[in-house]
Amino acid sequence: MRTADVNGVSLAYEETGEGTPVVFVHGDLSDLRTWEAQLPAVGASYRAIAYSRRYARPNPDIPPGVANPMGPHVDDLLAFLERTGAAPAHLVGNSWGAFISLLAAIRRPEAVRSLVLEEPPVVPLYLGGPHRAAELRLLLRRPGALRALLGFQLGTVLPAGRAFRAGEDERAMRIFLRGVLDEHAYAGIVPERLPQMRENLSALKAGLFDAGTPPLDPAEVSALHVPTLLVTGSHSAPLFHRLVDRLEELLPDSERIEILHASHLMHEENAPALNGAVLDFIGGH
C-alpha cells in the first residue's frame, strides 16, 4: 500500500506491473479493494493502479456535516495522475468513478489515453442540465428512458434518502443496493463485501444524497475525442442502459459491450469477462 498527497488529502493506492498506466477509479460503497480481480490480470501487461478516492477506506472518513460533491474527486484524479507519473493513463471507472473519469477526460483530455466506463450515472444528460427544455423534449420522445428515470427516483433515491434522514443508514444502504443491483447480484453479495460497503457508506450519503449529481453539458461530451468503451451488465437496472444509450449517441469515438451474468458491479460479478474486455480495448489504443 502506498499513498499520494494531492489537494490536501492523502490517497492510498496499490499498483502492480510495468508499462503504460491503467488507473482504476471505484464507485460509491467501494474503495480500491473492489479491483482486486483486475490488478493482477491487467498488471501482467501494464502498470495497473487502483486508488481509494478521498473519504474511501483506508483513507480517513468524511467528517460529519461535510458535503461530498464530485468536483474535488475530479481534481484529485487529475492530480493523482500527475503525482504518480501516470499521465496519460487508460482510465477504468465504475459507476460514480466512471462519471469522475469522464469529467476528468473532458477537463484534460491530454491526461487520458482511453476510457472504460462501467455504467456512469450521467443523469444530467437527460435531466438537470443547462438546457432543460431540450432535455424534457428528449425525454418525452423516449418513454423508456423516462420510465427508467422515474422508477429509479421513486423506487430507490427517494426511499433511500428518507431512510438516511431518519438515521436508518443500514436500511438506506440496502434500498440503494437493491436499486442498482438485480436480485441475483444482491443476493450474491459475499459476506466480506458488506463491511466494505458499510465502511464507505457515509461518503455515499454525503455525495449522491446530499451534494447530488454534477452538471454535464451534452455539447462537452460530444466534443470529447478520447477512445471510450461503454460497459453495461446484462442484468443491470434499466436506468443504466438508458444512460449509456445517451452516452453512445454523444461520444464520437466509442464502442459498447455488455457483460453477461452481471449487473452494476460487473468487475466483481464477472471479472474474467470484464478483464478480457478491458485488455482487448486498451490493447487497441
Side-chain angles (χ1 to χ4, degrees):
M1 188 78 68
R2 308 181 187 187
T3 59
D5 295 330
V6 300
N7 300 325
V9 297
S10 184
L11 303 180
Y13 70 98
E14 293 181 350
E15 71 169 88
T16 184
E18 299 178 347
T20 303
V22 181
V23 176
F24 295 88
V25 189
H26 64 82
D28 284 333
L29 295 180
S30 295
D31 52 50
L32 60 80
R33 291 172 287 180
T34 193
W35 303 110
E36 63 182 11
Q38 281 67 55
L39 283 187
V42 175
S45 303
Y46 299 92
R47 181 188 174 200
I49 307 169
Y51 78 100
S52 282
R53 298 192 282 113
R54 65 167 62 199
Y55 310 133
R57 295 296 185 270
N59 303 326
D61 199 3
I62 187 168
V66 173
N68 187 22
M70 188 176 287
H73 293 279
V74 178
D75 297 337
D76 289 350
L77 172 55
L78 291 170
F80 178 82
L81 295 179
E82 295 297 331
R83 183 71 172 176
T84 58
H90 299 284
L91 299 183
V92 181
N94 170 255
S95 190
W96 214 238
F99 202 156
I100 290 166
S101 299
L102 174 63
L103 291 176
I106 289 172
R107 186 185 303 177
R108 285 194 55 207
E110 71 279 4
V112 181
R113 293 176 183 267
S114 75
L115 292 167
V116 178
L117 305 179
E118 299 179 5
E119 298 181 344
V122 286
V123 173
L125 290 181
Y126 276 123
L127 196 62
H131 310 293
R132 293 182 182 274
E135 291 161 354
L136 287 172
R137 287 195 297 269
L138 178 65
L139 271 176
L140 290 175
R141 294 196 301 268
R142 301 184 181 191
L146 180 59
R147 284 194 300 270
L149 281 165
L150 289 175
F152 191 76
Q153 181 74 12
L154 296 175
T156 300
V157 175
L158 290 179
R162 286 194 293 268
F164 273 130
R165 289 190 294 274
E168 300 173 346
D169 288 4
E170 180 76 14
R171 188 167 74 89
M173 182 183 78
R174 293 187 178 274
I175 292 171
F176 181 75
L177 287 172
R178 285 184 180 276
V180 300
L181 304 176
D182 74 335
E183 285 299 321
H184 178 75
Y186 178 79
I189 296 173
V190 294
E192 56 267 26
R193 183 65 165 88
L194 286 172
Q196 182 186 145
M197 293 177 174
R198 293 187 185 102
E199 288 170 357
N200 293 293
L201 183 59
S202 56
L204 167 70
K205 179 180 178 181
L208 176 61
F209 290 93
D210 289 345
T213 55
L216 181 61
D217 190 338
E220 292 183 324
V221 178
S222 297
L224 180 64
H225 290 274
V226 170
T228 302
L229 179 64
L230 300 170
V231 191
T232 56
S234 61
H235 300 311
S236 293
L239 172 65
F240 295 117
H241 289 266
R242 302 294 79 78
L243 294 176
V244 171
D245 289 345
R246 183 69 173 131
L247 275 177
E248 188 177 20
E249 293 174 353
L250 293 171
L251 286 167
D253 189 5
S254 67
E255 305 171 28
R256 183 169 179 174
I257 190 171
E258 185 171 271
I259 303 298
L260 298 179
H261 314 298
S263 61
H264 197 53
L265 290 174
M266 59 205 71
H267 58 280
E268 295 184 17
E269 298 159 5
N270 192 350
L274 188 281
N275 294 347
V278 169
L279 289 168
D280 286 347
F281 180 73
I282 64 177
H285 298 281

